[in-house]
Amino acid sequence: MRARFSELLAEAAVREGAVGAFTCYNLETAIGALRAAEERGRGTILLVSKQSFAAAGGDLLLRALVAAADTAPTPACVQLDHVSDPGTIERAFALGAGAVMADGSKLPLQENVRLVRAAGALGQVEAELGGIEGDEDVAAAVAGGALTDPAEAAALVDEASVACLAVSIGNVHGLYAAPPSLDWPLLEAIRDRVELPLSLHGASGLPDEDVRRAISLGVRKVNVNTEFREAYLSVSEEWLDRVRAGARVLELNQAQIAGIADVAGRKLDVLG
Ligand code: 13P
C-alpha cells in the first residue's frame, strides 16, 4: 500500500529504528526489496536515482515502482533521489513520487533553502547539507566530502519545510576509500540542533555497528544502493549459464529477485 514518506519516517521513530530506502533499477530490484519488507512487516522506500530517471524509460520506471508500492502488502513510497532541477522535481511528483531528495548541497545555503522550499510546495522533501561524495550509479572509492554544519542545518530546517535531512558525517556513496570513520560527535550535534528525522546515505560498506549507532543518534532513514547492484550482478553472473539452455529468462529474473530480497532483508534486520 502506498504510504506517505513522513509516515514511514514517523513509524521508524516509534520503533527507534530506521526505514530502509533501496535504489531500484527495474521491477526485479523493487520486488526483491518489497518482498524483504513484507517478510518483516516493514515499510520501505523505493529510490529512483537521478540518472535512471533521466535515462530512456525513466518515467516508466518511476510509475512502475509507484504501482509496485500501491500493490505491496506493506507500506511503501517512491522517492526520486538527489535532484536539483525544478522541472525534474515537478515531473517526479506528477508521476506519483511520494518524495524527492532536493539536493542543494552544492549551492550556497540560501539557494539550497530556495530549492527546498520550491520542491516543498509540490510534495515532501528530503534536503541535504554538506556534500555526500561519490556517484550514485557507478561505484568508485571516494573519501568523505564536506561535513554538515549543525548551525546551517538548523537554519535550513527553520526556513524551509523539510521532512528529512541527509547528513554528511564521513559517509559516501559507493565504496569507502578508507575504512569508514563516521563523525559521531557531529551527528549528535546535528541531532541536538535539528528536530527532524535524519537520513544516512551511503550505507553500502558501512559496518552494521555503525548503522546501529547512527540510528541510536537520530537516523531514521538509511539509503542502500551499491550492495544492491553488486548482489544483482553476482546473482545474474551465477545464473546466466544455468538459464542459457532454453533461454529461461523468467528463472533468471526470479533468482535476481531472491538475491535482492536477501540483501534487503539483511539490511532491514540491522535497521531495528
Ligand atoms: P550506497 O550506494 O553507498 O549504498 O549509497 C546509496 C545512497 O545513499 C543513495 O542515495
Side-chain angles (χ1 to χ4, degrees):
M1 71 205 75
R2 205 185 312 184
R4 279 169 68 78
F5 183 68
S6 51
E7 280 166 14
L8 294 171
L9 294 165
E11 185 278 328
V14 167
R15 62 179 161 81
E16 296 182 351
V19 58
F22 302 106
T23 310
C24 298
Y25 288 87
N26 52 24
L27 275 181
E28 286 72 33
T29 39
I31 294 168
L34 290 170
R35 179 181 291 175
E38 179 187 348
E39 282 167 2
R40 289 158 182 80
R42 291 285 179 72
T44 191
I45 295 169
L46 306 177
L47 298 173
V48 177
S49 78
K50 176 178 67 180
Q51 290 95 322
S52 289
F53 194 49
D59 285 21
L60 272 180
L61 172 66
L62 196 144
R63 292 168 70 144
L65 299 193
V66 170
D70 280 343
T71 52
T74 43
C77 164
V78 176
Q79 181 185 24
L80 180 63
D81 210 6
H82 292 287
V83 269
S84 53
D85 169 56
T88 306
I89 291 171
E90 198 174 338
R91 203 172 99 233
F93 281 127
L95 291 168
V100 299
M101 199 240 199
D103 183 352
S105 60
K106 301 269 185 298
L107 303 172
L109 179 62
Q110 279 315 313
E111 283 179 44
N112 192 348
V113 167
R114 269 196 291 281
L115 171 73
V116 173
R117 270 202 195 135
L122 302 172
Q124 296 199 319
V125 175
E126 175 179 348
E128 176 178 335
L129 262 179
I132 305 166
E133 291 297 323
D135 189 290
E136 288 134 54
D137 293 293
V138 182
V142 284
L147 301 174
T148 303
D149 180 298
E152 286 201 347
L156 180 118
V157 305
D158 246 25
E159 293 183 43
S161 157
V162 182
C164 176
L165 178 73
V167 294
S168 175
I169 54 166
N171 46 318
V172 301
H173 295 121
L175 308 174
Y176 285 81
S181 163
L182 301 188
D183 189 333
W184 302 113
L186 176 60
L187 181 56
E188 253 181 284
I190 300 166
R191 181 209 53 192
D192 290 347
R193 296 289 298 266
V194 174
E195 279 188 28
L196 262 192
L198 303 175
S199 70
L200 183 69
H201 286 231
S204 297
L206 278 184
D208 293 349
E209 266 324 293
D210 280 5
V211 175
R212 288 196 190 94
R213 190 165 172 190
I215 292 170
S216 77
L217 293 171
V219 162
R220 296 290 166 244
K221 171 176 179 269
V222 172
N223 282 25
V224 182
N225 184 353
T226 304
E227 285 186 30
F228 250 43
R229 300 203 310 279
E230 279 170 352
Y232 183 84
L233 291 177
S234 302
V235 167
S236 303
E237 206 170 24
E238 184 191 330
W239 277 77
L240 268 177
D241 278 347
R242 293 195 211 170
V243 300
R244 184 76 65 192
R248 299 184 332 262
V249 171
L250 180 59
E251 274 178 50
L252 174 66
N253 290 346
Q254 298 307 307
Q256 289 162 337
I257 291 170
I260 287 291
D262 193 41
V263 181
R266 275 188 275 120
K267 286 289 173 195
L268 289 174
D269 288 340
V270 176
L271 304 188

